[in-house]
Amino acid sequence: MNKILATLVAVATLLVVSIAAPSGIEARASRLQMTVYNAADVEEDMDSTEPWNGVPDGASICTRRFIRDINFAWGDDDVVLPRCGEDMVFIHITGTITAPRSGNYNFYAISDDGIRLSIGKTLVLDDWEDQGDVVEPPYNADGQFRMLGGRAYAIDLWWYENGGGAVLKLLAGSTERNEKAVPSTWFR
Ligand SMILES: [Ca+2]
Ligand SMILES: [Ca+2]
């Protein structure tokens, strides 16, 4: 009888684990966390804010979530969610980045509007200013960072949208010619 009970408990446990697993695995698979702030009530100009020194008065958290990669094109629509707004939004992304091979990597952002990215303690991308709406995406920030293959480096990225279109894409490559969107595997 005890044996049957033990088997039933084991089966039930297995069922619970297999049902609960997908979302848990998904959440743990990415070490990138994105916090979105609605900044519609901030009185400063967006490009004169320095949210990394303290989120300005009037900005409030709209949503916080895990993301797989940094490759977003919202255009003129709402950034992330309707309640986050289509203009005057901050995004803060934290996590780690790991390159498969050692090298001096070029980083590139397609960013509308401003972006500021630190890897470890190095400020790699810094273009905290509005971007004009143009036909071609604004390739508005680049920088280099040397990474050891397999080593995880902390990343800290701030971005804002003031008005018009909104884009946030992070690219990297071993040379300027082979830059492409950083794959999600680099953020695990
Ligand atoms: Ca907008
Ligand atoms: Ca914009």
Side-chain angles (χ1 to χ4, degrees):
M1 196 64 182
N2 280 348
K3 209 171 180 180
I4 294 170
L5 195 65
T7 307
L8 281 175
V9 168
V11 168
T13 306
L14 208 62
L15 274 174
V16 168
V17 167
S18 61
I19 289 166
S23 60
I25 288 169
E26 199 180 346
R28 278 194 295 276
S30 171
R31 292 187 182 165
L32 280 185
Q33 188 174 45
M34 175 169 72
T35 306
V36 185
Y37 295 86
N38 181 315
D41 294 333
V42 171
E43 291 185 359
E44 290 174 78
D45 292 335
M46 294 294 278
D47 61 357
S48 64
T49 59
E50 295 184 344
W52 47 88
N53 289 330
V55 178
D57 288 345
S60 56
I61 291 180
C62 171
T63 187
R64 179 178 278 158
R65 58 180 57 188
F66 289 100
I67 54 173
R68 288 172 45 80
D69 52 21
I70 303 171
N71 192 0
F72 302 101
W74 295 286
D76 290 332
D77 296 330
D78 295 302
V79 176
V80 182
L81 291 172
R83 66 176 182 275
C84 299
E86 59 185 50
D87 298 322
M88 298 192 76
V89 176
F90 289 116
I91 284 179
H92 187 204
I93 295 172
T94 56
T96 62
I97 187 166
T98 308
R101 282 178 292 282
S102 298
N104 193 23
Y105 285 87
N106 292 295
F107 284 88
Y108 227 50
I110 303 173
S111 181
D112 178 351
D113 289 281
I115 189 166
R116 194 176 194 269
L117 168 70
S118 296
I119 303 179
K121 290 179 177 167
T122 305
L123 186 58
V124 177
L125 302 179
D126 188 16
D127 191 12
W128 196 252
E129 62 183 0
D130 290 0
Q131 301 296 320
D133 283 326
V134 289
V135 177
E136 291 296 317
Y139 291 79
N140 58 331
D142 65 354
Q144 283 80 40
F145 186 75
R146 181 160 185 80
M147 292 199 287
L148 295 174
R151 178 169 161 186
Y153 297 86
I155 63 169
D156 191 283
L157 185 156
W158 280 95
W159 170 94
Y160 78 85
E161 153 66 348
N162 190 4
V167 179
L168 172 56
K169 292 172 184 265
L170 182 64
L171 294 77
S174 55
T175 71
E176 286 184 9
R177 287 187 179 180
N178 66 10
E179 285 161 343
K180 57 181 183 181
V182 178
S184 58
T185 50
W186 287 32
F187 297 119
R188 286 176 188 167

